[in-house]
Each structure stands twice: as C-alpha cells, then as structure tokens.
Amino acid sequence: MQTAIPGWPKERESHLQGLFWGRGAQVSAASRKKSAGAHAALSLQKTVDALNKFRDWYNPQVGLDFSRARRLIESYTRGDYADLQWTMAAPFQGIETCDADYSTIITRRESALLAMDWDIRTVSERDSRYNEALAASQRAALREAYERISNLTEAISHLGKAAFRGFAHCEKIAGADGATTSLACVKQWNIVRDGSEGAWKYNPEAAQGTFETLPDEYKIDPDNWVITQSERPLSRIALVKWIRQNFCERDWDAFIELCRVAGVITGPPDIPSDGEAARKFAADAEKLASGANGFLPYGATFTPHKWQDLHPLFSGRIEHLQKQLILAGTGGLVTSLGGSVGLNGSGTSEAQADVFAAISRADALMVSEAMQRGIDREVLDARFPGKPRLAYFLIAHEDAKDVGKYIENVSRLTGAGYKVAAAEVAEKTGYAVEDAPDAA
C-alpha cells in the first residue's frame, strides 16, 4: 500500500508506509493476514509518537479561561479533538490529573471496572438458535482468542475511559497467523471525526483540524479497531468545574492574603481635619490598612477585617462545584472524596452504593459490547463461517446478594417440583453446575 500525502517528504511517507497497512486504513482481511508477519512489530501509536512531540512542550493550563473553554467545548461536535483532549488528559498537566475530584472519580470507576471478572458466556438454551456443541466450541474459541491478547487489562481500562472522554480507540495488532495478539491504545488527541457521528480518521501529528483537513489514507476501518463511545462524557462538566473552581480559589487566596493583615484605621480625636498633618495621617493610614508596616500617632486604633466571616462564601461555592461533578460521576457518592457524608449530609447510604454499582455495570457493558463487535465477530466468523454466534465476551460483577437470592429462588422452585436448567443457573451465578440425578 502506498501513502500519498501532499507536501510531505519522501522519507516521511516511507516512515508511515506501515502505519495503515493491515491496520488503520481500509484493507481486506486477506491483505491484513498476509502482511501480519512482516508488520506485526509495528504499532500505530509508537510510530507517530515522534510526530506529536511538540505537545509535550504545550501546557494546556496556560490561558485556560472561560473563552477558551467555550471554544474547546464547541470543537467537540466538529470532531476536532486534539486541543480539547490534550487539555483534559495530558500527562501530569491535564485536568484528569490536576482536579482532585475528577481524578478520584476516574480512579474509582476504573477500579470498579477492573475489579470485575471477564468471562465467555453462551446464549440461553431458550434461544431458538442454541446448539450445545456449537456453543461450547465457540466459547472455547473465544476464550483462547482473549487469552492471547497480551494487554487485555490495559485495553479494558482505556476503553472504559470513553465515559469521561467521549470515545476510546484500540488498534488490533495481529500476530504471524493474523490473529489479534494485542490492542494498541490510541491517544484521544490522535483522533478526529467527521462531525459528531461520522467516520473516524487518525491524526498522527495531533494537529488541530477537522476531518476534511486530513487525507483519506487516514480513515479508520472499524473492522480493524475496537471502539467505545459515550453520549454524555463527563469531561464537559469537569472542564467547566475546573475553571470556575480555579477562579474561585484564586480570589479566595487573594482575599485571605489581603484581609488577614488589613483593616480599618480610626484616627485619634485631636487629628486636624485638613492641612499637612491630616494628609500625612491619611497616607500612612491607607498603607497600614492595606497591610504595610508603618507608624500611627497616639490614640489611633486598628480594627482588622473579620475575613473569617466570609470564609463560607468561597468554601460553599467550591463545595457546590464539587457536588455537581460527583453527582454526575458517581451518582451522588461523595465518599469518593474520602469524606464521610453524602450529598444530603446523612452519610453513605445503601441506595447510593447501588447507584454507583449500576454505573460500574454500565461501564462494563459498554466495553463488553465493543469487544463483541471488534473481537468476537472476527473470531467467530473466521472459525465458524455461516454459523450463528452463540458465545460472547462479557465483563460482569456478580453481586453476592443477587446471586444468593437467585439460588434461594431456584431452591424453592426445585422444592416445589420444578426443574431449572443447569445452563441457566451457570449463566446467572457463574458456577459450573450440572443437573442432579433424579431421586429414586
């Protein structure tokens, strides 16, 4: 495959030859398999890291105010992600790292996702397509395929961050036999999109620009990628919260610096109302009232400002901003900050924990469905052409309370003379069970 990038030197084009061969560009599965051995060692992200080194010198916090935030927010619907995603996720300087609240939310949800086990499940026996032998063979094939992916945990973590960033892309890297052996996690600032719902292109230099500004050679073929998307990314709320909180804290610091040493000067009874002595006292009093050192005549008094009384104005504003972000990110679980109270001040409730668990399950389902589209379909269609897909990848956390309740219900049904299929019990509980022999 040849790249044709107008204006680029030949050595740069040669450097990018392997970039899209059998991976990012739209090529056939046969070409991908044929070229896999020669290009397996190449990684799209590693290939272009040198091209966008300039961003390491760009501090996204410099000049970040409300006007710039508005422009960054508007760039999202255009599919112009480079500056926005760098502002949010840049190493050490991005808001995901600098905002303690946002960083904690990301850590908690990422931890909850990675704490769940992945498994290969099969469709229910009630499915009209179900075939026990075929389902078992497909389950074994998928398990083998996923166990070959060397960085599966890293990929799951990256794909789960679409909930915060809006999307996440992993490039499928093939081994010598054409099968996927790793998933290269691509940085968000290396992606552009045709509007808010169109096709994707790779942006190797992380340059600010739209879909039309990049050549068609950079189009991303979804068949060769695993992609997650979120309709309501939290970065929108986090960006606005970060700027407002920064301005609030800046004013708070300035207020404390001024008011902790400032106050009101009351002149002595015998101070003249005009003349040189009055003007000198007024000048000295103004300096002292602002926190400077100086001398007051006998009888003058100094009354410091009661800045402590205004403390709640700033702290209350910051707490309000925190609550808005935490409410959206955890369903109202304020204890993610390490405190002991909930949004209503009554402590962590079981209902809040259930809401957070539901959000975590939604993250797991998002990643699971992306894997099913990107990996399951490729493996099953290659190994079982023309056959229905009866097995699938799933990340799931089985709540002990829910599992126990389900087993209790099965026991009651069995005691009443009914028989529950072993396959269904295994699917619901995760336990390997078999039908018990009929009683004599």
Side-chain angles (χ1 to χ4, degrees), residues 70-147:
R70 178 181 58 80
R71 294 194 297 271
L72 291 175
I73 290 171
E74 291 172 350
S75 72
Y76 187 90
T77 54
R78 297 194 300 268
D80 181 10
Y81 301 124
D83 282 357
L84 171 62
Q85 297 294 345
W86 182 256
T87 299
M88 299 306 302
F92 199 74
Q93 300 179 111
I95 293 175
E96 290 182 10
T97 299
C98 297
D99 190 313
D101 305 323
Y102 197 39
S103 177
T104 301
I105 291 172
I106 294 174
T107 300
R108 283 210 58 174
R109 286 181 55 169
E110 180 184 35
S111 300
L113 176 62
L114 296 181
M116 301 182 194
D117 295 327
W118 68 268
D119 194 11
I120 306 299
R121 303 287 181 86
T122 59
V123 299
S124 170
E125 291 182 1
R126 295 189 296 271
D127 193 311
S128 60
R129 305 170 301 161
Y130 183 78
N131 178 287
E132 184 176 0
L134 179 60
S137 298
Q138 291 187 355
R139 185 174 186 178
L142 283 181
R143 182 169 294 279
E144 177 187 0
Y146 279 98
E147 288 177 346

Side-chain angles (χ1 to χ4, degrees), residues 366-378:
M366 173 183 66
V367 177
S368 297
E369 290 180 346
M371 290 294 196
Q372 291 162 18
R373 292 189 301 268
I375 304 295
D376 293 14
R377 183 180 304 173
E378 179 182 72

Side-chain angles (χ1 to χ4, degrees), residues 268-425:
D270 57 348
I271 191 73
S273 59
D274 55 9
E276 182 62 25
R279 286 191 292 272
K280 184 177 184 306
F281 174 79
D284 292 342
E286 182 177 353
K287 292 179 181 179
L288 292 171
S290 299
N293 295 323
F295 171 77
L296 288 174
Y298 179 77
T301 59
F302 173 79
T303 305
H305 291 304
K306 295 182 179 180
W307 62 270
Q308 296 90 340
D309 295 341
L310 298 177
H311 170 86
L313 293 178
F314 295 98
S315 61
R317 174 61 174 166
I318 292 176
E319 183 179 354
H320 168 75
L321 295 172
Q322 289 176 323
K323 287 181 177 180
Q324 300 306 305
L325 178 61
I326 296 167
L327 178 64
T330 68
L333 199 62
V334 176
T335 50
S336 60
L337 296 178
S340 59
V341 297
L343 287 176
N344 56 8
S346 60
T348 305
S349 67
E350 185 176 348
Q352 287 178 328
D354 289 342
V355 170
F356 183 74
I359 293 175
S360 301
R361 291 189 181 99
D363 291 342
L365 183 60
M366 173 183 66
V367 177
S368 297
E369 290 180 346
M371 290 294 196
Q372 291 162 18
R373 292 189 301 268
I375 304 295
D376 293 14
R377 183 180 304 173
E378 179 182 72
V379 172
L380 296 180
D381 288 354
R383 295 280 297 273
F384 307 92
K387 301 293 185 181
R389 303 186 192 110
L390 304 181
Y392 57 93
F393 174 89
L394 184 67
I395 303 171
H397 170 66
E398 301 294 351
D399 192 318
K401 177 179 62 176
D402 295 339
V403 171
K405 185 67 175 177
Y406 177 79
I407 293 175
E408 181 181 341
N409 291 337
V410 170
S411 178
R412 290 177 178 175
L413 288 172
T414 303
Y418 296 96
K419 183 177 180 180
V420 181
E424 181 175 335
V425 176

